PDB file of all heavy atoms in Angstrom:
ATOM      1  N   ASP A1221     112.064 132.292 115.559  1.00 94.00           N
ATOM      2  CA  ASP A1221     111.443 133.599 115.449  1.00 94.00           C
ATOM      3  C   ASP A1221     110.353 133.746 116.496  1.00 94.00           C
ATOM      4  O   ASP A1221     109.348 133.045 116.459  1.00 94.00           O
ATOM      5  CB  ASP A1221     110.851 133.720 114.044  1.00 94.00           C
ATOM      6  CG  ASP A1221     110.257 135.089 113.806  1.00 94.00           C
ATOM      7  OD1 ASP A1221     110.029 135.811 114.793  1.00 94.00           O
ATOM      8  OD2 ASP A1221     110.020 135.433 112.641  1.00 94.00           O
ATOM      9  N   PRO A1222     110.554 134.632 117.437  1.00 94.00           N
ATOM     10  CA  PRO A1222     109.557 134.824 118.495  1.00 94.00           C
ATOM     11  C   PRO A1222     108.205 135.227 117.923  1.00 94.00           C
ATOM     12  O   PRO A1222     107.166 134.892 118.511  1.00 94.00           O
ATOM     13  CB  PRO A1222     110.135 135.965 119.334  1.00 94.00           C
ATOM     14  CG  PRO A1222     111.549 136.137 118.911  1.00 94.00           C
ATOM     15  CD  PRO A1222     111.693 135.555 117.551  1.00 94.00           C
ATOM     16  N   ALA A1223     108.189 135.918 116.796  1.00 96.00           N
ATOM     17  CA  ALA A1223     106.912 136.341 116.222  1.00 96.00           C
ATOM     18  C   ALA A1223     106.091 135.133 115.794  1.00 96.00           C
ATOM     19  O   ALA A1223     104.870 135.102 115.951  1.00 96.00           O
ATOM     20  CB  ALA A1223     107.148 137.280 115.041  1.00 96.00           C
ATOM     21  N   ILE A1224     106.777 134.131 115.234  1.00 97.00           N
ATOM     22  CA  ILE A1224     106.063 132.913 114.838  1.00 97.00           C
ATOM     23  C   ILE A1224     105.511 132.228 116.073  1.00 97.00           C
ATOM     24  O   ILE A1224     104.333 131.871 116.139  1.00 97.00           O
ATOM     25  CB  ILE A1224     106.999 131.967 114.055  1.00 97.00           C
ATOM     26  CG1 ILE A1224     107.414 132.622 112.735  1.00 97.00           C
ATOM     27  CG2 ILE A1224     106.324 130.632 113.813  1.00 97.00           C
ATOM     28  CD1 ILE A1224     108.395 131.798 111.924  1.00 97.00           C
ATOM     29  N   ASP A1225     106.383 132.073 117.069  1.00 96.00           N
ATOM     30  CA  ASP A1225     105.936 131.486 118.331  1.00 96.00           C
ATOM     31  C   ASP A1225     104.705 132.201 118.861  1.00 96.00           C
ATOM     32  O   ASP A1225     103.725 131.574 119.267  1.00 96.00           O
ATOM     33  CB  ASP A1225     107.056 131.600 119.377  1.00 96.00           C
ATOM     34  CG  ASP A1225     107.812 130.307 119.521  1.00 96.00           C
ATOM     35  OD1 ASP A1225     107.199 129.239 119.353  1.00 96.00           O
ATOM     36  OD2 ASP A1225     109.016 130.373 119.800  1.00 96.00           O
ATOM     37  N   ALA A1226     104.788 133.525 118.853  1.00 96.00           N
ATOM     38  CA  ALA A1226     103.696 134.319 119.411  1.00 96.00           C
ATOM     39  C   ALA A1226     102.415 134.089 118.632  1.00 96.00           C
ATOM     40  O   ALA A1226     101.338 133.893 119.215  1.00 96.00           O
ATOM     41  CB  ALA A1226     104.079 135.801 119.401  1.00 96.00           C
ATOM     42  N   ALA A1227     102.528 134.070 117.294  1.00 97.00           N
ATOM     43  CA  ALA A1227     101.328 133.887 116.479  1.00 97.00           C
ATOM     44  C   ALA A1227     100.720 132.513 116.742  1.00 97.00           C
ATOM     45  O   ALA A1227      99.493 132.368 116.865  1.00 97.00           O
ATOM     46  CB  ALA A1227     101.672 134.045 114.997  1.00 97.00           C
ATOM     47  N   LEU A1228     101.568 131.497 116.862  1.00 97.00           N
ATOM     48  CA  LEU A1228     101.055 130.160 117.112  1.00 97.00           C
ATOM     49  C   LEU A1228     100.410 130.088 118.495  1.00 97.00           C
ATOM     50  O   LEU A1228      99.315 129.530 118.651  1.00 97.00           O
ATOM     51  CB  LEU A1228     102.190 129.134 117.013  1.00 97.00           C
ATOM     52  CG  LEU A1228     102.837 128.971 115.639  1.00 97.00           C
ATOM     53  CD1 LEU A1228     103.874 127.860 115.680  1.00 97.00           C
ATOM     54  CD2 LEU A1228     101.803 128.656 114.584  1.00 97.00           C
ATOM     55  N   SER A1229     101.094 130.635 119.473  1.00 96.00           N
ATOM     56  CA  SER A1229     100.554 130.572 120.826  1.00 96.00           C
ATOM     57  C   SER A1229      99.221 131.294 120.902  1.00 96.00           C
ATOM     58  O   SER A1229      98.273 130.808 121.537  1.00 96.00           O
ATOM     59  CB  SER A1229     101.528 131.228 121.815  1.00 96.00           C
ATOM     60  OG  SER A1229     102.770 130.577 121.756  1.00 96.00           O
ATOM     61  N   ALA A1230      99.156 132.446 120.245  1.00 97.00           N
ATOM     62  CA  ALA A1230      97.916 133.221 120.282  1.00 97.00           C
ATOM     63  C   ALA A1230      96.786 132.437 119.643  1.00 97.00           C
ATOM     64  O   ALA A1230      95.681 132.354 120.190  1.00 97.00           O
ATOM     65  CB  ALA A1230      98.120 134.553 119.560  1.00 97.00           C
ATOM     66  N   ALA A1231      97.077 131.819 118.492  1.00 97.00           N
ATOM     67  CA  ALA A1231      96.032 131.065 117.804  1.00 97.00           C
ATOM     68  C   ALA A1231      95.565 129.900 118.670  1.00 97.00           C
ATOM     69  O   ALA A1231      94.362 129.633 118.782  1.00 97.00           O
ATOM     70  CB  ALA A1231      96.550 130.560 116.461  1.00 97.00           C
ATOM     71  N   ALA A1232      96.520 129.204 119.285  1.00 97.00           N
ATOM     72  CA  ALA A1232      96.167 128.066 120.125  1.00 97.00           C
ATOM     73  C   ALA A1232      95.328 128.531 121.317  1.00 97.00           C
ATOM     74  O   ALA A1232      94.287 127.944 121.627  1.00 97.00           O
ATOM     75  CB  ALA A1232      97.433 127.357 120.601  1.00 97.00           C
ATOM     76  N   ALA A1233      95.790 129.587 121.952  1.00 96.00           N
ATOM     77  CA  ALA A1233      95.100 130.077 123.142  1.00 96.00           C
ATOM     78  C   ALA A1233      93.665 130.477 122.803  1.00 96.00           C
ATOM     79  O   ALA A1233      92.732 130.201 123.561  1.00 96.00           O
ATOM     80  CB  ALA A1233      95.856 131.272 123.731  1.00 96.00           C
ATOM     81  N   ARG A1234      93.504 131.096 121.655  1.00 96.00           N
ATOM     82  CA  ARG A1234      92.174 131.553 121.246  1.00 96.00           C
ATOM     83  C   ARG A1234      91.192 130.388 121.161  1.00 96.00           C
ATOM     84  O   ARG A1234      89.991 130.554 121.302  1.00 96.00           O
ATOM     85  CB  ARG A1234      92.297 132.258 119.893  1.00 96.00           C
ATOM     86  CG  ARG A1234      91.210 133.260 119.630  1.00 96.00           C
ATOM     87  CD  ARG A1234      91.438 133.970 118.305  1.00 96.00           C
ATOM     88  NE  ARG A1234      92.821 134.418 118.152  1.00 96.00           N
ATOM     89  CZ  ARG A1234      93.591 134.132 117.104  1.00 96.00           C
ATOM     90  NH1 ARG A1234      93.136 133.413 116.107  1.00 96.00           N
ATOM     91  NH2 ARG A1234      94.839 134.582 117.052  1.00 96.00           N
ATOM     92  N   MET A1235      91.725 129.184 120.884  1.00 95.00           N
ATOM     93  CA  MET A1235      90.851 128.021 120.769  1.00 95.00           C
ATOM     94  C   MET A1235      90.784 127.247 122.090  1.00 95.00           C
ATOM     95  O   MET A1235      90.206 126.161 122.144  1.00 95.00           O
ATOM     96  CB  MET A1235      91.383 127.069 119.704  1.00 95.00           C
ATOM     97  CG  MET A1235      91.749 127.720 118.407  1.00 95.00           C
ATOM     98  SD  MET A1235      90.441 127.554 117.208  1.00 95.00           S
ATOM     99  CE  MET A1235      90.083 125.815 117.347  1.00 95.00           C
ATOM    100  N   GLY A1236      91.421 127.753 123.123  1.00 96.00           N
ATOM    101  CA  GLY A1236      91.441 127.027 124.383  1.00 96.00           C
ATOM    102  C   GLY A1236      92.334 125.811 124.330  1.00 96.00           C
ATOM    103  O   GLY A1236      92.192 124.861 125.089  1.00 96.00           O
ATOM    104  N   PHE A1237      93.293 125.837 123.413  1.00 97.00           N
ATOM    105  CA  PHE A1237      94.167 124.687 123.184  1.00 97.00           C
ATOM    106  C   PHE A1237      95.479 124.923 123.928  1.00 97.00           C
ATOM    107  O   PHE A1237      96.055 126.007 123.858  1.00 97.00           O
ATOM    108  CB  PHE A1237      94.425 124.578 121.689  1.00 97.00           C
ATOM    109  CG  PHE A1237      95.166 123.349 121.256  1.00 97.00           C
ATOM    110  CD1 PHE A1237      94.471 122.185 120.952  1.00 97.00           C
ATOM    111  CD2 PHE A1237      96.543 123.363 121.127  1.00 97.00           C
ATOM    112  CE1 PHE A1237      95.149 121.059 120.526  1.00 97.00           C
ATOM    113  CE2 PHE A1237      97.230 122.226 120.711  1.00 97.00           C
ATOM    114  CZ  PHE A1237      96.529 121.076 120.414  1.00 97.00           C
ATOM    115  N   SER A1238      95.953 123.916 124.629  1.00 96.00           N
ATOM    116  CA  SER A1238      97.217 124.083 125.330  1.00 96.00           C
ATOM    117  C   SER A1238      98.331 123.440 124.508  1.00 96.00           C
ATOM    118  O   SER A1238      98.410 122.228 124.391  1.00 96.00           O
ATOM    119  CB  SER A1238      97.095 123.481 126.725  1.00 96.00           C
ATOM    120  OG  SER A1238      97.985 122.448 126.929  1.00 96.00           O
ATOM    121  N   ALA A1239      99.169 124.260 123.928  1.00 96.00           N
ATOM    122  CA  ALA A1239     100.195 123.792 122.995  1.00 96.00           C
ATOM    123  C   ALA A1239     101.394 123.226 123.728  1.00 96.00           C
ATOM    124  O   ALA A1239     101.859 123.793 124.717  1.00 96.00           O
ATOM    125  CB  ALA A1239     100.632 124.944 122.096  1.00 96.00           C
ATOM    126  N   ALA A1240     101.873 122.096 123.265  1.00 95.00           N
ATOM    127  CA  ALA A1240     103.030 121.475 123.894  1.00 95.00           C
ATOM    128  C   ALA A1240     104.228 121.454 122.954  1.00 95.00           C
ATOM    129  O   ALA A1240     105.350 121.683 123.370  1.00 95.00           O
ATOM    130  CB  ALA A1240     102.689 120.058 124.332  1.00 95.00           C
TER     131      ALA A1240
END
Side-chain angles (χ1 to χ4, degrees):
Chain A
D1221 184 344
I1224 295 177
D1225 260 328
L1228 295 184
S1229 302
R1234 205 177 313 127
M1235 312 262 312
F1237 187 88
S1238 119

